[in-house]
RNA sequence: CGGGGCGUAGCGCAGCCUGGUAGCGCAUCUGCUUUGGGAGCAGAGGGUCGCAGGUUCAAAUCCUGCCGCCCCGACCA
């Protein structure tokens, strides 16, 4: 993409409404535009990141055996009356009436809809296990939206729902999502720590929040340093084998949010292993048994010929929240530092002197060579001072900067800068292409 | 939902107390000169001062009501 043909409205000054760093940087980097409290438009650069995160989430869900569907944002109130939540949910649910005066709502979650889909089509235990997910906009009319996309009212969420014949099978489904989440957050460049969460009336250890560490996180967290060094399950993990050893390894070390903190247990750890930090919740997995399947009549015929109400679980990832969370975890004074896996472009190619034929030709050649090799490149071909170009490129945080100017070219040299480390290296254009292809 | 703050050009702000022709910086546009870490000069455009009432000869400024946004707390993917 050429910057001259792109839409990247960067701000030099910080809008005053933005208090936390990710919100400031998203506004300054031209990623989002606020339309109302907790409601945002996503501009080209922001949308690219959102899509890349969604793609990684999708790949790992698929790998774990979940199947993608797409459920509506608008849902009929009748379904929610069946589950009893239409009255329970309160003012966080945005209620709407259509022209025929039918009660509708903007979905804050989709247990009712997915359960309706399930009961309409699945009648036999032979069709289990089943896990259906979608990545769809949700709306929760928060009392106090804040922190930009980290706590919006409208937000993009991946929500998966598992259906199983019995508790043991449901636990296996839970473990698949648990492992998928470890892999997903790792690929996003984040260290997410599963922390035991309130598991409601079912009991047991079947609810976890996935928390990433960031200085500006909303909640205080306490954990055993050992959890930071646990290995991430590999790509070729057998999701239909026994995953419980992995889950056990990850749930054994101490890890708790402030609400669940057990000061005595924490104090029992050796001092050097105790870690207290701030955290952001980016995922939550939950087994809730037959809460919805019972109320809404989702049952299958079991091997014994009897109707069995299915066991369910739900598994959420805050996709739009992750954009902010990743920035919270990866930035410096100059701007964002995108992990390679979600960067909107891999390389920012800076033409220091647009209009100079030699420099233009060199920049364009590099742009085409890299693009043909499958590397996404943002070519800054706009006339501006060198300092302004560097500042803008640092702000939007692309992993690599490739700097081409007349002075360097006279020596047949270009410069590569690694955004994360700040390391710069001078080399020939050919070497630069080789280096970026290998990086 | 309690407490606090803010709405003046795209962004950041001054002006308001003490009413009298709406300003500054950045950004934008034009021209020239510049060009390796947010360039310089000259010129130009851009405003229902959040909205609605009221007081007054006169309201960005004073009064009343409303709306929007932000922050702290309680609550939450």
């Amino acid at each position: 993409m050429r910057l001259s043909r792109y839409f990247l409205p960067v701000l030099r000054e910080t809008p005053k409404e933005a208090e936390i760093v990710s919100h400031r940087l998203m506004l300054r980097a031209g990623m989002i535009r606020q339309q109302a409290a907790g409601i945002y438009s996503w501009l080209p650069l922001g949308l690219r990141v959102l899509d890349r995160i969604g793609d990684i989430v999708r790949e790992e869900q698929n790998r774990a055996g979940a199947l993608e569907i797409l459920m509506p944002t608008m849902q009929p109130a009748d379904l929610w009356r069946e589950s009893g939540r239409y009255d329970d949910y309160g003012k966080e649910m945005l209620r709407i009436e259509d022209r025929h005066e039918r009660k509708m709502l903007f979905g804050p979650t989709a247990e009712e809809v997915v359960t309706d889909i399930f009961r309409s089509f699945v009648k036999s235990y032979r069709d289990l296990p089943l896990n259906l997910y979608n990545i769809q906009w949700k709306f929760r009319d928060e009392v106090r939206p804040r922190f930009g996309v980290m706590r919006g009212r409208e937000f993009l969420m991946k929500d998966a729902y598992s259906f199983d014949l019995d508790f043991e099978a449901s636990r296996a489904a839970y473990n698949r999502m648990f492992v998928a989440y470890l892999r997903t957050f790792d690929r996003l460049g984040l260290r997410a720590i599963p922390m035991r969460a309130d598991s409601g009336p079912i009991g047991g250890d079947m609810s976890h929040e996935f928390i990433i560490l960031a200085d500006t996180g909303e909640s205080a967290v306490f954990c055993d340093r050992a959890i930071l060094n646990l290995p991430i399950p590999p790509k070729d993990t057998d999701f239909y084998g026994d995953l419980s050893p992995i889950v056990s390894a990850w749930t054994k070390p101490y890890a708790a949010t402030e609400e669940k903190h057990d000061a005595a247990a924490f104090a029992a750890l050796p001092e050097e292993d105790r870690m207290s930090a701030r955290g952001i919740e980016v995922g939550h997995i939950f087994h809730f048994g037959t809460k919805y399947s019972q109320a809404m009549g989702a049952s299958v015929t079991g091997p014994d010929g009897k109707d069995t109400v299915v066991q369910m679980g739900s598994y959420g990832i805050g996709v739009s929240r992750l954009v902010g969370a990743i920035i919270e975890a990866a930035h410096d004074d100059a701007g964002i530092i995108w992990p390679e896996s979600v960067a909107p472009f891999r390389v920012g190619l800076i033409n220091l002197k647009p209009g100079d034929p030699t420099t233009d030709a060199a920049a364009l050649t590099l742009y085409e060579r890299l693009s043909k090799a499958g590397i996404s490149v943002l070519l800054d071909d706009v006339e501006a001072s060198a300092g302004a170009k560097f500042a803008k490129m640092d702000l939007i945080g692309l992993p690599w900067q490739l700097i081409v100017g007349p002075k360097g070219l006279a020596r047949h040299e270009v410069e590569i800068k690694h955004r994360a480390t700040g390391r710069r290296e001078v080399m020939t254009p050919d070497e630069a292409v080789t280096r970026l292809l290998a990086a």
Side-chain angles (χ1 to χ4, degrees), chain A residues 117-358:
Chain A
I117 293 169
F118 180 89
R119 70 178 173 185
S120 303
F121 299 113
V122 182
K123 303 295 178 193
S124 163
Y125 78 96
R126 293 172 189 273
D127 295 325
L128 302 182
L130 184 65
N131 182 326
L132 300 174
Y133 77 97
N134 75 169
I135 298 176
Q136 175 64 291
W137 293 93
K138 304 294 190 292
F139 195 94
R140 294 183 190 176
D141 202 358
E142 293 272 348
V143 196
R144 189 186 156 205
R146 64 188 120 164
F147 303 147
V149 299
M150 301 259 283
R151 181 170 301 289
R153 290 193 291 171
E154 189 179 43
F155 58 97
L156 189 61
M157 181 167 89
K158 186 284 297 182
D159 42 322
Y161 304 90
S162 65
F163 302 87
D164 289 280
L165 190 63
D166 56 34
F167 180 78
E168 278 314 304
S170 193
R171 178 190 289 279
Y174 184 91
N175 288 349
R176 285 194 288 276
M177 287 293 107
F178 189 105
V179 171
Y181 276 34
L182 291 175
R183 287 191 45 74
T184 301
F185 295 124
D186 181 63
R187 287 186 60 190
L188 296 174
L190 299 170
R191 189 69 182 185
I193 302 173
M195 299 194 175
R196 192 165 300 184
D198 195 349
S199 48
I202 307 296
D205 57 353
M206 295 281 274
S207 178
H208 288 88
E209 292 180 8
F210 285 75
I211 307 269
I212 66 154
L213 303 183
D215 293 341
T216 45
E218 287 190 73
S219 45
V221 299
F222 304 86
C223 68
D224 184 338
R225 197 171 293 278
I227 207 162
L228 298 178
N229 300 319
L230 288 173
I232 299 297
K235 196 175 187 172
D236 58 2
T237 299
D238 177 9
F239 277 88
Y240 291 92
D242 182 10
L243 296 173
S244 60
I246 299 174
V247 174
S248 298
W250 276 86
T251 51
K252 203 166 150 191
Y254 185 84
T257 58
E258 204 164 19
E259 306 85 65
K260 297 270 157 193
H261 187 45
D262 177 349
F266 189 60
L269 294 173
E271 172 137 27
E272 65 272 20
D273 291 341
R274 279 178 237 157
M275 197 169 75
S276 60
R278 307 290 301 175
I280 301 168
E281 182 184 350
V282 289
H284 195 168
I285 60 178
F286 204 91
H287 169 84
F288 48 69
T290 58
K291 179 174 176 183
Y292 300 95
S293 48
Q294 182 74 53
M296 296 181 65
S299 59
V300 296
T301 304
D304 54 4
K306 291 181 185 161
D307 263 10
T308 306
V309 175
V310 295
Q311 297 281 323
M312 292 176 61
S314 74
Y315 314 89
I317 289 180
V319 176
S320 50
R321 170 181 284 185
L322 274 165
V323 180
I326 289 169
I327 295 171
E328 290 294 328
H331 67 271
D332 62 17
D333 289 344
I336 302 168
I337 304 172
W338 291 116
E340 297 250 359
S341 58
V342 301
F345 297 92
R346 185 123 178 269
V347 175
L349 173 54
I350 299 177
N351 179 343
L352 280 174
K353 193 163 185 176
D356 175 77
T358 312

Side-chain angles (χ1 to χ4, degrees), chain A residues 1 6 8 29 31 43-50 52 336-347 375-378 396-399:
Chain A
M1 177 58 63
Y6 204 46
L8 184 66
M31 295 175 65
L43 307 183
L45 196 76
L47 183 58
R48 282 182 78 104
V49 176
L50 192 64
R52 295 206 69 189
I336 302 168
I337 304 172
W338 291 116
E340 297 250 359
S341 58
V342 301
F345 297 92
R346 185 123 178 269
V347 175
I375 292 180
S376 56
V377 182
L378 181 64
I396 68 172
L398 307 184

Side-chain angles (χ1 to χ4, degrees), chain A residues 53 106 160 169 188 390:
Chain A
I53 294 171
F106 196 125
L188 296 174
F390 292 137

